[in-house]
Amino acid sequence: MESGSFEFVQSALTVLAVVASIAALLFVAFEFGEARGRRPLHHWLRGGWRIVTGSGWRGLAGIFSCAYVDALNGIIRDYFEDADKGTVLNMLFVGLVFVLIPAAALLNLAIGGSPFLAKYYLSLLVVLVVFNFTGESRRMAVVNGVAALYLGASVFLVIPLYVFRSFATVARIDVFPHAVPESILVAPLCYLVAYGAKLALDGFVFGRLDGAPRRAGVAAVHGFLAALPAAFVLTFVALLVGATIDASSSLSPTWQYLVSSMAFTSAGLAVTLLIMGWALGTTRPLALAAGCVASVAAGGVLSWALLFGARLSSARALTAEEAFAVLLGRAPGTDRLQLGADFWVMHLPMVPAGLLVAGIALVWLAKAVALPVGLVLGPRYAERRPLLLAGVVCAVLVVLLWLFAARL
């Protein structure tokens, strides 16, 4: 296992180096192409180099952090919070809940499967017919309210959750190697469940809160719910990676394991956005550094809690010390390197903070390359040759990756 883990890390670094080499060659080729000045990438990189060369080290880290947090908040806003304003959610919702799932329920009933879902849809039809006649009567307000609640909860929560649980069970049992594509197909159902939970919380809880704490808390909860479908898929990806490195760590995750992974992975995104939102919203001199450190530390705590909770009260339960050892890439009770399935799954909560730190390191590397080039060739050389200098950054990255891989 130890040699296999080392080989995987070296192979991963080699692949990244090859990708960076290809990117460097493409950047150089595009720089000297005939239409380089008319390419959107050329203009985008020119603006990026203007920011890199014109900002200090701390200011550059702040600019990237703001862009990173704004991008995540924008994705959550456009594809989750305001998804009902577009056509994608409506098509997904109508197609799944009112077409595909009822058809599958009828087919399942016809071939002798469980009649629960078909009977449940029949109950919805009955309630809808009754509601159609009583909806205009004020004396039936209580009955109408109960009927509306039953219809709404069923359509947005109960049915998607029931079908998601059924299909997720199939993916949970079939981990290697088919669970990853299966999880991608099941993720839309998880999205509908998360969106249904958002509607319920917005209507019955968040609507009664006011002020800045409400905005921060609501944003965190929405980020948590929006991340659940991605956390579901990433869990199976991490299991696949771990099983590829260490076949003995391949497992069919229990529901406790899967729910723990989804919950703490989604919490990793929400906590990172909360911490960085505070760090970027204050003028304290070390707030950004403190925010980055706190985000990584919080991700580490959540990662430890993920594995500890996933194994709690089970036959494969881990002590707090053993879970911490796995977090550090060690086999419990030994000093042996082990990068199995548990290692990759439990580090998922650290992905948002890890990407933030990696992005800051990358823009700092770009500035470190641009500074000597600017001294020799002029301060505006990066803006004149943005693609070429991007290729140089990729080339430096290749050297660093090769050196790191060679030292393992």
Side-chain angles (χ1 to χ4, degrees), residues 251-273:
L251 62 115
S252 295
T254 63
W255 271 109
Q256 178 182 341
Y257 192 100
L258 183 58
V259 170
S260 179
S261 176
M262 293 174 63
F264 285 106
T265 299
S266 299
L269 174 65
V271 170
T272 298
L273 290 177

Side-chain angles (χ1 to χ4, degrees), residues 224-297:
F224 173 86
L225 293 173
L228 285 173
F232 176 74
V233 175
L234 288 175
T235 299
F236 290 99
V237 173
L239 288 170
L240 177 60
V241 172
T244 303
I245 300 171
D246 181 3
S248 64
S249 70
S250 178
L251 62 115
S252 295
T254 63
W255 271 109
Q256 178 182 341
Y257 192 100
L258 183 58
V259 170
S260 179
S261 176
M262 293 174 63
F264 285 106
T265 299
S266 299
L269 174 65
V271 170
T272 298
L273 290 177
L274 270 178
I275 293 175
M276 294 309 300
W278 165 83
L280 296 171
T282 182
T283 57
R284 296 177 182 178
L286 296 179
L288 180 59
C292 292
V293 172
S295 296
V296 173

Side-chain angles (χ1 to χ4, degrees), residues 64 82 113 126 202 267 281 337:
F64 176 82
D82 297 336
V126 172
D202 287 349
L337 181 66

Side-chain angles (χ1 to χ4, degrees), residues 99-115:
V99 179
L100 293 180
I101 295 178
L106 291 175
L107 178 61
N108 185 57
L109 180 64
I111 62 178
S114 173

Side-chain angles (χ1 to χ4, degrees), residues 25 32 58 65 72-73 89 91 94 104 119 179 195 201 203 225-227 250 301-302 324 328 334 364 373 380 387 391:
L25 293 174
F32 296 102
R58 189 172 67 181
S65 299
L72 289 178
N73 285 326
L89 176 64
M91 293 176 60
V94 173
K119 291 181 178 180
Y195 194 79
L201 290 172
L225 293 173
S250 178
V301 173
L302 291 172
F324 185 73
L328 300 179
T334 69
W364 276 355
V373 171
R380 298 183 63 85
L387 291 164

